[in-house]
Amino acid sequence: MNYIGNLIRPPSEADSIILQVTVGCSHNRCTFCGAYKDVHFKVKPAATVYADIAFAKNHFAHKNRVFLADGDVLILKQDYLTDLFKVIRRELPQVKRISLYGSSKAITRKTREQLCELKSLGLNRVYMGLESGCNKVLKQVKKGDTVESMVAAGVKVKDCGLFLSVTILLGLAGAEASANHAVLTASALNDINPHQIAALTLMVLENTPLGRSERKGLFQMIGPGAVLKELYILVSNLDVKRSQFFANHASNYLPLSGRMPKDKYRILAEIESALADSRMLVPENLRAL
Ligand code: SF4
């Protein structure tokens, strides 16, 4: 397979065929993100992508999921995507699930009909990074989006019958705005009501603008106890109808998972226990992105 640069995929795509269609992220400005910092966004030549599909046909016939990397394949023109999905269907007929990252900008640019067309051609799952439900935080980290547009984008994805996974980032607001970030993020999640919520914990990377802000004393990452308190407030305020909830990414201090709302009080009790006993936490040096 032809892979360029850092290949980043959601944990739940570990067993998928990773088909790299674009390199980098079309936005690439979030101050906390070091994923594609030195990479200019580009679309790979169709011939390269189709050669990878041919390779996958010969070598990954046992795999029935495809993840389209990198950052924002959904931003591509509809014709490009429909052709691509048709080739995947034809060459990899065993594939039951095609997934990709979708920014709210990319989702907003697609009409409902276009999203539904992609669904009819095999698109099954969209991963969207909300990060925070607080517009002030989104502006500070240069997310380039508002809560309102991301909520609308998430609802649109769901309305087309697509599975929606939403990622949020604990610690992103720093200490002072931590509780507000938690309450507003829960509120945005309640409005979207995604099928899946993935709570990650911020790791400040040196090569990012946020890393530089931290070195200048302009931003301070909260400690593990404060992260857990933020998570507690977030979960307390969650009122989603039926969502899988994951806070078991390698960046998290306390691995948690469950179904909301069924497991809400069990998860809150687990956070309370960890707040009372820091030995339950993943040591700092074992956290990873
Ligand atoms: S967080 Fe997502 S949208 Fe922001 S720069 Fe990184 S990959 Fe792009």
Side-chain angles (χ1 to χ4, degrees):
M1 301 289 275
N2 177 285
Y3 291 144
I4 301 173
N6 278 343
L7 265 193
I8 294 167
R9 49 130 187 97
S12 44
E13 300 294 335
D15 292 328
S16 303
I17 300 167
I18 309 296
L19 188 63
Q20 191 182 33
V21 179
T22 62
V23 179
C25 158
S26 62
H27 177 57
N28 211 13
R29 290 201 187 96
C30 299
T31 62
F32 57 88
C33 175
Y36 308 111
K37 271 288 163 278
D38 302 319
V39 181
H40 288 292
F41 180 73
K42 68 170 185 188
V43 185
K44 289 173 80 173
T48 307
V49 177
Y50 291 173
D52 278 351
I53 294 173
F55 182 90
K57 181 179 181 171
N58 290 326
H59 294 85
F60 303 134
H62 57 291
K63 295 199 176 206
N64 62 6
R65 293 175 180 182
V66 167
F67 179 73
L68 303 178
D70 277 341
D72 195 6
V73 173
L74 197 61
I75 203 88
L76 300 186
K77 290 203 172 109
Q78 187 73 0
D79 286 353
Y80 184 102
L81 291 175
T82 53
D83 287 349
L84 174 64
F85 278 71
K86 284 175 189 168
V87 174
I88 293 173
R89 268 164 72 122
R90 190 184 68 224
E91 300 299 316
L92 305 171
Q94 82 280 7
V95 167
K96 300 278 181 288
R97 182 174 114 183
I98 303 176
S99 313
L100 43 66
Y101 285 123
S103 66
S104 92
K105 193 162 100 188
I107 296 164
T108 305
R109 280 187 185 180
K110 297 274 179 232
T111 64
R112 205 169 293 266
E113 290 68 32
Q114 286 176 323
L115 282 177
C116 292
E117 182 184 25
L118 295 180
K119 179 174 189 300
S120 73
L121 292 172
L123 179 62
N124 176 277
R125 179 176 286 224
V126 176
Y127 295 90
M128 185 178 83
L130 171 70
E131 328 302 357
S132 175
C134 173
N135 275 325
K136 199 171 161 198
V137 174
L138 293 177
K139 200 168 173 193
Q140 275 165 357
V141 302
K142 295 192 168 44
K143 179 71 184 167
D145 239 319
T146 62
V147 177
E148 293 73 20
S149 68
M150 287 195 276
V151 168
V155 169
K156 190 172 171 185
V157 166
K158 283 192 63 202
D159 280 353
C160 291
L162 292 160
F163 184 99
L164 177 68
S165 176
V166 173
T167 304
I168 61 108
L169 207 40
L170 301 168
L172 192 60
E176 228 169 83
S178 170
N180 198 42
H181 165 58
V183 170
L184 293 178
T185 302
S187 167
L189 289 169
N190 294 341
D191 289 343
I192 301 172
N193 200 29
H195 300 95
Q196 182 171 292
I197 298 165
L200 277 62
T201 301
L202 176 68
M203 296 187 75
V204 182
L205 304 173
E206 280 190 14
N207 68 336
T208 59
L210 193 65
R212 290 190 277 282
S213 293
E214 190 181 54
R215 283 201 293 284
K216 286 182 193 157
L218 302 172
F219 176 82
Q220 196 179 4
M221 178 54 191
I222 54 177
V227 169
L228 284 189
K229 282 181 192 156
E230 186 173 296
L231 180 59
Y232 190 91
I233 296 170
L234 180 118
V235 174
S236 301
N237 283 276
L238 266 186
D239 186 22
V240 286
K241 304 291 174 288
R242 266 181 76 185
S243 290
Q244 297 166 341
F245 180 84
F246 294 111
N248 54 3
H249 183 262
S251 63
N252 292 111
Y253 287 104
L254 180 68
L256 293 165
S257 63
R259 291 202 71 86
M260 294 291 179
K262 184 170 72 73
D263 297 323
K264 175 170 175 168
Y265 292 101
R266 191 253 304 157
I267 287 174
L268 287 173
E270 285 183 33
I271 300 171
E272 276 175 7
S273 301
L275 279 166
D277 182 358
S278 62
R279 288 172 303 177
M280 288 173 66
L281 302 184
V282 174
E284 195 64 54
N285 62 333
L286 295 183
R287 292 175 65 221
L289 280 176

